Amino acid sequence: QVQLQESGPGLVKPSETLSLTCAVSGASVSGYYWSWLRQPAGKGLEWLGRLFSSGTTNSNPSLKSRVVMSVDPSKNLFFLNVTSVTVADTAVYFCARSRGYFDYWGRGLLVTVSS
Amino acid sequence: DIQMTQSPSSLSASVGDRVTITCRASQGISNSLAWYQQKPGKVPQLLVYAASRLEGGVPSRFSGSGSGTEYTLTINSLQPEDFAHYYCQQYYQNPYTFGQGTKLDIK
């Protein structure tokens, strides 16, 4: 059974960098695409970007290059950085396995941007 | 970006009803369409991918259809556990985009 678990700070100050980790178990990160998504409270889902185990990435242009993703296959982890955050970046952040569609998801992590 | 428009945005129905949710893409997406169910405070669950393929473990009362720019999710014989939000998502082109969601609640 594939399981994903997000971790990271739940509170980030405006203008700082949001940094999250996704730990994958039950499968190797190698050979798959992995994505980050988010959902503001009471709103819909937004795809932030995806990365392949080789390190190749695709990001959503709506975030204007603030998204940086990376992977550590040796630890079965992948990472998200969102730079220069504002209150608009407050959301539940999900990591997911990406086959175009998303078949396995983490439980989500609420990140609040506030001073 | 490909815009995904879901309708209706909300829907009230009764247990046992058959309901249909529609998703329209701003351009053709060649059946690269998925449907998700999300209950309050929970993680989205994949129901259908490739427009009509049911994910393993999903009850057969759920079905997807469509082509080109228009796709539908049908739920036959609604069960109490089906009252939730539903989202469509296109994966034909980056950036992947979602519909705004349909809230299905009990009449």
Side-chain angles (χ1 to χ4, degrees):
Chain A
Q1 177 74 355
V2 180
Q3 294 185 313
L4 297 87
Q5 179 69 60
E6 304 88 351
S7 61
L11 181 64
V12 182
K13 289 183 168 55
S15 80
E16 295 190 344
T17 296
L18 179 162
S19 297
L20 299 180
T21 299
C22 185
V24 179
S25 59
S28 171
V29 296
S30 298
Y32 288 100
Y33 280 97
W34 304 90
S35 279
W36 289 96
L37 305 97
R38 69 182 181 182
Q39 185 173 37
K43 296 189 177 181
L45 294 155
E46 180 182 27
W47 176 76
L48 303 181
R50 69 173 187 175
L51 75 165
F52 193 65
S53 51
S54 63
T56 303
T57 62
N58 302 104
S59 299
N60 192 327
S62 70
L63 279 87
K64 295 183 172 57
S65 302
R66 295 192 298 125
V67 167
V68 179
M69 294 171 288
S70 59
V71 60
D72 186 342
S74 68
K75 295 182 179 177
N76 237 31
L77 301 172
F78 61 102
F79 309 95
L80 171 72
N81 281 354
V82 181
T83 61
S84 304
V85 296
T86 70
V87 294
D89 294 309
T90 295
V92 175
Y93 284 75
F94 298 98
C95 57
R97 190 173 76 170
S98 179
R99 309 183 77 165
Y101 54 90
F102 310 106
D103 55 355
Y104 291 100
W105 296 65
R107 296 177 70 175
L109 182 68
L110 174 62
V111 178
T112 301
V113 178
S114 174
S115 55
Chain B
D1 298 5
I2 297 176
Q3 306 302 315
M4 305 300 292
T5 304
Q6 270 182 251
S7 60
S9 55
S10 65
L11 176 59
S12 293
S14 302
V15 172
D17 284 354
R18 178 175 183 263
V19 299
T20 298
I21 300 168
T22 297
C23 190
R24 285 189 176 87
S26 58
Q27 65 182 76
I29 57 172
S30 296
N31 290 1
S32 298
L33 190 284
W35 290 97
Y36 302 87
Q37 177 193 71
Q38 187 179 30
K39 297 180 181 178
K42 300 297 186 182
V43 178
Q45 298 288 330
L46 177 67
L47 299 174
V48 171
Y49 63 96
S52 61
R53 297 191 175 191
L54 212 60
E55 174 71 344
V58 174
S60 59
R61 62 181 180 272
F62 291 90
S63 63
S65 63
S67 63
T69 61
E70 187 159 330
Y71 299 86
T72 59
L73 175 71
T74 299
I75 313 172
N76 287 301
S77 188
L78 272 173
Q79 297 301 300
E81 61 268 28
D82 299 336
F83 293 96
H85 278 87
Y86 292 85
Y87 295 93
C88 62
Q89 177 236 333
Q90 68 81 20
Y91 51 97
Y92 178 72
Q93 182 182 98
N94 285 344
Y96 300 149
T97 47
F98 290 83
Q100 80 280 14
T102 295
K103 182 181 180 182
L104 174 59
D105 59 21
I106 299 175
K107 187 183 291 183

